[in-house]
């Protein structure tokens, strides 16, 4: 027993949501500061650029609309990753599921002669969800039956999906009348714009759909026994099995749901913003979706906010392009933020505890609390 | 004959990239750290090699630059995963994104230009006269011999024939037991993660100085991920990695041949071939395991080690 007041670094097994949020925010800010220092070393003015990014994102109504348009596919991919994170699995393949979902939607939009826009959109969404789920079916089966790590299998299929889209967009689905050689004809079924008197005239109903999806996933997790079982499967698979929950089945459902959500994201981007199937449909949205989900600690509603944040970061890439840097600089920035957030998450489990001497037998409270929390 | 020799030669060239990258990954995984940043490391290595060669016209300096840059990135990754003990999956993804983005940003001025100098072939006397096999196997550049012979031999010897190798493998299996035995887990992990990152990055240099040979954004084309898969497929053994790399190289070479000869398969599907085959090989060990064969990963792979945790 020491007689002086000392301190010790202690590791805490669980931290509260508030501490975690704070750690995430601090890490992201630190990453931005590091990026700023790098820019300064390259002879670019980081503060002025930052101000331009903020102005481009929030300064005008068009900026805000563009930001929301950019955030919606990020949110869909983030949701996809988050659902799987909840059961303790990684979805590195949201990029591919996004593309295959868009392919399914494009197939319906281009070739299925149905009547109204509403029916077509519904069928497109259905095809997109099915496509996304299909794209994760093989990794899911390999994971659950053979125990093959889902990380690399989901990732490899991203390359295949992208090549599939390129094949279709430059081949049999190609728009013969356009001089652009790598895109399909315009798909006429599209989301309607939001009402004009909402003052967000550039936005379409697909964004509302993304928000609704996040809400539905959040409600499923919180208020249904199915969602409860998923959460238990994620927290402690053995406990879930012991409690008689169908663990394998729940994991499969979570993976298929994750695939379907990313696929829907592809459909929303296609029917809302791009209107043609093409290789440039996704700007690494599936990969950025990973950090979107991690920033939100896999909370479905939180995903909406972190998607907005990452949209600002991607906007920074566009601003950097005006400074002669390629758009890929934004990808490096996303990587940097991810690295810092991953470290911050772990460092938030440490705290500095002040250990006071036990001067009198009555004054043992604080020391006991400190040593008790260290266990 | 000519075709067969060319096929084999291409297989060895493209397989060598995978072998180098995978051998680097093996070093990290054997001490229990899963480095998913190979793709980013390769991109960094590929870009810095071409940049260096553009200034110096010496491929070996380019190779060295890739090793150094890879080691530097490896230090960052090891700080995050071994010292801070952050999620290895997330840090790996971060390294991949950071490496791809950074290399594309810095490398833009010389994207698409041919490399300033490339590795010249070093024929092995007499052996290079063997019909078919000679030109393919024994008229390659030094990095090819390095990837297929020297490095796997060195790693196999280190891992399975030395006491230090036993320590390395033990750290990958049970760091707590090693710690109890007085082995310093974190420093050894740190060193081998950095060394592995340097080797993986050198695969990028070999790609842009020996195989492609030029730098462009996306030149790595998922090879880093295939290398990670290859380590699993090869059951974490160096010679099997070399064999697997040759197999993948052959698949690649067949793809090129099909394209050149116009066998009627759309090029997009030929380009899918390596990923599809990798997927197949990812799943195959699982099927084998069900049949009784055992190709297990290091038990502590991907798990950060804390002394106070059981």
């Amino acid at each position: 027993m020491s007689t002086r007041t000392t301190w010790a670094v202690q590791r805490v097994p669980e931290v509260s949501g508030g501490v975690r949020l704070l750690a995430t925010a601090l890490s992201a800010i630190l990453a931005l500061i590091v990026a700023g220092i790098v820019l300064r070393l390259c002879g670019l003015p980081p503060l002025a650029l930052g101000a331009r990014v903020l102005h481009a994102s929030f300064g005008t109504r068009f900026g805000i609309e563009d930001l929301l348009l950019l955030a919606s596919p990020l949110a869909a991919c983030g949701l996809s990753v988050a659902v799987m994170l909840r059961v303790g699995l990684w979805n590195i393949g949201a990029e591919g599921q996004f593309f295959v979902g868009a392919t399914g939607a494009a197939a319906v939009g281009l070739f299925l002669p149905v009547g109204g826009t509403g029916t077509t959109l519904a069928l497109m969404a259905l095809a997109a969800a099915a496509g996304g789920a299909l794209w994760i079916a093989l990794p899911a089966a390999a994971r659950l039956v053979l125990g093959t790590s889902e990380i690399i299998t989901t990732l490899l299929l991203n390359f295949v999906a992208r090549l599939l889209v390129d094949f279709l967009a430059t081949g049999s689905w190609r728009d013969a009348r356009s001089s652009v050689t790598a895109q399909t004809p315009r798909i006429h079924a599209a989301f309607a714009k939001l009402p004009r008197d909402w003052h967000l005239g550039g936005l379409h109903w697909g964004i509302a759909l993304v928000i609704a999806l996040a809400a539905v996933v959040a409600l499923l997790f919180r208020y249904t026994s199915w969602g409860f079982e998923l959460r238990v499967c994620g927290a402690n698979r053995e406990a879930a099995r012991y409690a008689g929950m169908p663990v394998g089945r729940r994991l499969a459902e979570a993976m298929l749901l994750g695939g379907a959500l990313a696929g829907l994201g592809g459909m929303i981007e296609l029917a809302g913003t791009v209107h043609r199937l093409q290789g440039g449909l996704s700007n690494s949205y599936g990969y950025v979706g990973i950090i979107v989900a991690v920033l939100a600690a896999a909370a479905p509603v939180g995903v909406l906010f972190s998607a907005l944040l990452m949209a600002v970061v991607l906007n920074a890439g566009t601003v950097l392009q005006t400074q002669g840097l390629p758009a890929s600089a934004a990808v490096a920035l996303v990587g940097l933020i991810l690295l810092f957030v991953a470290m911050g998450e772990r460092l938030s489990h440490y705290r500095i505890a002040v250990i006071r001497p036990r001067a009198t037998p009555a004054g043992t409270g604080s020391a006991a609390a400190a040593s008790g929390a260290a266990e | 004959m000519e075709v067969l020799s060319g096929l084999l030669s291409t297989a060895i060239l493209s397989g060598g990239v995978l072998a180098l990258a995978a051998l680097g990954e093996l070093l990290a995984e054997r001490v229990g750290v899963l480095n998913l940043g190979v793709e980013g490391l390769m991109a960094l290595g590929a870009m810095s090699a071409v940049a260096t060669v553009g200034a110096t016209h010496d491929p070996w300096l380019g190779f060295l630059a890739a090793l150094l840059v890879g080691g530097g990135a490896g230090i960052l990754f090891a700080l995050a995963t071994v010292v801070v003990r952050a999620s290895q999956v997330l840090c790996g993804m971060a390294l991949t994104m950071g490496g791809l983005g950074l290399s594309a940003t810095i490398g833009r001025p010389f994207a698409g230009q041919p490399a300033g100098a490339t590795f010249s072939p070093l024929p092995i006397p007499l052996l290079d006269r063997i019909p078919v096999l000679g030109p393919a196997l024994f008229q390659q550049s030094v990095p090819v011999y390095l990837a297929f012979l020297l490095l796997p031999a060195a790693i196999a010897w280190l891992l399975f024939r030395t006491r230090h190798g036993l320590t390395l493998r033990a750290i990958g299996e049970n760091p707590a037991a090693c710690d109890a035995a007085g082995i310093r887990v974190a420093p050894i992990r740190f060193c081998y993660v950095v060394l592995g990152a340097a080797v993986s990055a050198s695969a990028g240099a070999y790609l842009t100085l020996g195989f492609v040979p030029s730098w462009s954004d996306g030149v790595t084309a998922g090879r880093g991920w295939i290398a990670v898969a290859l380590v699993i497929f090869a059951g974490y053994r160096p010679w099997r990695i070399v064999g697997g790399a040759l197999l993948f190289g052959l698949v690649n070479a067949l793809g090129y041949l099909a394209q050149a000869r116009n066998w009627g398969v759309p090029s997009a599907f030929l380009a899918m071939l390596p990923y599809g085959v990798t997927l197949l090989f990812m799943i195959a060990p699982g099927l084998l395991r069900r049949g009784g064969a055992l190709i297990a990963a290091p038990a502590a792979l991907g798990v950060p080690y804390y002394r106070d945790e059981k």
Side-chain angles (χ1 to χ4, degrees):
Chain A
M1 190 56 55
S2 86
T3 53
R4 287 177 304 143
T5 299
T6 60
W7 56 275
V9 178
Q10 297 174 334
R11 198 159 65 88
V12 194
E14 292 288 329
V15 291
S16 67
V19 170
R20 204 186 152 151
L21 194 65
L22 186 72
T24 304
L26 281 177
S27 316
I29 290 169
L30 213 60
L32 289 177
I33 291 174
V34 169
I37 293 172
V38 172
L39 281 178
R40 167 52 54 86
L41 292 178
C42 295
L44 292 167
L47 288 179
L49 285 176
R52 278 182 59 186
V53 171
L54 288 180
H55 181 75
S57 306
F58 302 105
T60 63
R61 210 186 71 194
F62 292 117
I64 293 171
E65 285 175 4
D66 268 354
L67 194 71
L68 291 169
L69 283 178
L70 186 55
S72 60
L74 292 180
C77 291
L79 270 180
S80 160
V81 179
V83 165
M84 282 182 53
L85 262 187
R86 277 297 185 92
V87 294
L89 296 172
W90 290 101
N91 182 12
I92 315 292
E95 181 87 356
Q97 294 140 25
F98 185 91
F99 269 119
V100 174
T103 305
V108 170
L110 288 173
F111 303 113
L112 209 64
V114 281
T117 304
T119 326
T120 313
L121 282 177
L123 285 174
M124 281 169 77
L126 216 60
L134 176 79
W135 213 241
I136 205 172
L138 182 68
R143 175 72 177 83
L144 298 172
V145 180
L146 304 172
T148 309
S149 159
E150 74 284 1
I151 296 173
I152 300 166
T153 50
T154 51
L155 181 118
L156 286 169
L157 285 172
N158 291 345
F159 294 101
V160 180
R162 175 63 201 272
L163 287 165
L164 182 72
V165 167
D166 282 344
F167 169 69
L168 292 171
T170 56
S172 49
W173 292 12
R174 188 192 145 189
D175 184 2
R177 281 171 300 177
S178 160
S179 58
V180 182
T181 54
Q183 61 180 24
T184 64
R186 192 180 167 86
I187 294 160
H188 293 292
F191 283 114
K193 301 280 184 208
L194 292 180
R196 189 170 280 278
D197 45 334
W198 288 11
H199 299 295
L200 289 167
L203 298 185
H204 55 78
W205 279 102
I207 286 164
L209 182 58
V210 172
I211 296 171
L213 282 174
V216 167
V217 171
L219 292 175
L220 278 177
F221 271 117
R222 180 155 298 188
Y223 293 111
T224 66
S225 55
W226 180 80
F228 173 72
E229 291 189 359
L230 280 189
R231 280 188 289 150
V232 177
C233 287
N236 190 336
R237 224 163 274 170
E238 286 312 307
R241 200 165 281 131
Y242 187 70
M245 294 175 186
V247 174
R249 205 188 145 145
R250 291 291 171 266
L251 295 184
E253 285 163 356
M255 289 183 92
L256 292 177
L257 177 62
L261 283 167
L264 274 173
M267 178 266 174
I268 290 167
E269 185 70 1
L270 184 81
T273 310
V274 180
H275 304 297
R276 293 169 191 269
L277 186 67
Q278 57 184 53
L281 189 72
S282 165
N283 179 14
S284 304
Y285 296 149
Y287 296 107
V288 181
I290 299 167
I291 181 171
V292 166
V294 169
L295 279 176
V301 177
V303 159
L304 295 176
F305 294 98
S306 56
L308 218 52
L309 205 67
M310 292 319 291
V312 177
V313 172
L314 290 190
N315 260 349
T318 319
V319 169
L320 287 175
Q321 259 177 307
T322 63
Q323 301 293 309
L325 288 174
S328 2
V331 179
L333 186 57
V334 172
L336 189 70
I337 295 174
L338 184 56
L339 184 73
F340 273 71
V341 167
M343 287 200 281
E345 192 275 328
R346 201 46 56 117
L347 290 173
S348 71
H349 287 256
Y350 290 90
R351 65 170 191 192
I352 295 169
V354 177
I355 302 165
R356 294 194 178 82
R358 296 189 194 184
T360 59
T364 55
S366 62
S371 63
E375 279 171 24
Chain B
M1 277 303 132
E2 199 93 318
V3 175
L4 205 61
S5 182
L7 194 72
L8 202 57
S9 184
T10 313
I12 284 173
L13 272 177
S14 76
V17 181
L18 295 175
L20 264 184
L23 287 169
E25 175 70 9
L26 175 73
L27 287 175
E29 291 202 17
R30 271 292 182 175
V31 292
V33 178
L34 177 68
N35 183 353
L36 292 181
V38 183
E39 179 81 4
L41 288 168
M42 281 177 72
L44 282 174
M47 185 276 299
S48 41
V50 170
T52 311
V53 166
T56 62
H57 296 280
D58 182 349
W60 283 108
L61 282 177
F63 201 77
L64 186 70
L67 279 171
L68 290 176
V69 169
I75 288 175
L76 203 64
F77 180 76
L79 270 177
T81 54
V82 179
V83 179
V84 177
R85 289 170 281 207
S87 156
Q88 293 172 12
V89 174
L90 288 183
C91 293
M93 290 307 298
L95 184 54
T96 288
M97 290 170 116
L100 286 174
L102 206 62
S103 58
T105 307
I106 303 172
R108 200 166 67 147
F110 44 88
Q113 295 168 12
T118 53
F119 289 111
S120 45
L122 177 81
I124 310 278
L126 295 181
L127 290 177
D128 65 334
R129 307 245 182 98
I130 304 171
V132 184
L133 291 180
L137 295 181
F138 302 110
Q139 286 185 14
Q140 300 284 4
S141 58
V142 178
V144 175
Y145 303 129
L146 186 73
F148 280 102
L149 279 174
L150 301 178
L151 198 60
I155 292 176
W157 175 76
L158 173 76
L159 282 177
F160 301 108
R161 293 277 179 273
T162 67
R163 184 168 176 83
H164 182 60
L166 183 65
T167 307
L168 295 184
R169 287 183 288 139
I171 288 175
E173 300 291 344
N174 192 339
C178 291
D179 196 12
I183 295 163
R184 284 149 56 87
V185 173
I188 294 181
R189 274 195 170 169
F190 195 100
C191 290
Y192 280 90
V193 167
V194 173
L195 191 66
V199 173
S200 291
S202 79
Y206 169 35
L207 179 69
T208 46
L209 300 181
F211 183 43
V212 175
S214 76
W215 154 263
S216 59
D217 188 10
V219 72
T220 48
R223 285 187 178 87
W225 293 103
I226 294 177
V228 176
L230 181 58
V231 176
I232 301 169
F233 165 61
Y236 308 87
R237 282 164 176 78
W239 286 113
R240 288 195 205 171
I241 285 180
V242 171
L246 200 58
L247 199 65
F248 276 99
L250 212 55
V251 170
N252 267 331
L254 275 174
Y256 294 132
L257 189 69
Q259 206 158 359
R261 299 248 156 158
N262 205 359
W263 286 355
V265 186
S267 63
F269 287 101
L270 291 175
M272 284 177 198
L273 204 61
Y275 311 114
V277 171
T278 310
L279 201 62
L280 203 69
F281 281 126
M282 281 291 293
I283 297 170
L287 287 170
L288 287 178
R289 191 153 54 229
R290 279 175 86 78
L294 191 75
I295 308 168
L301 182 62
V303 187
Y305 173 62
Y306 288 103
R307 181 171 277 181
D308 54 348
E309 257 178 15
K310 285 264 162 57

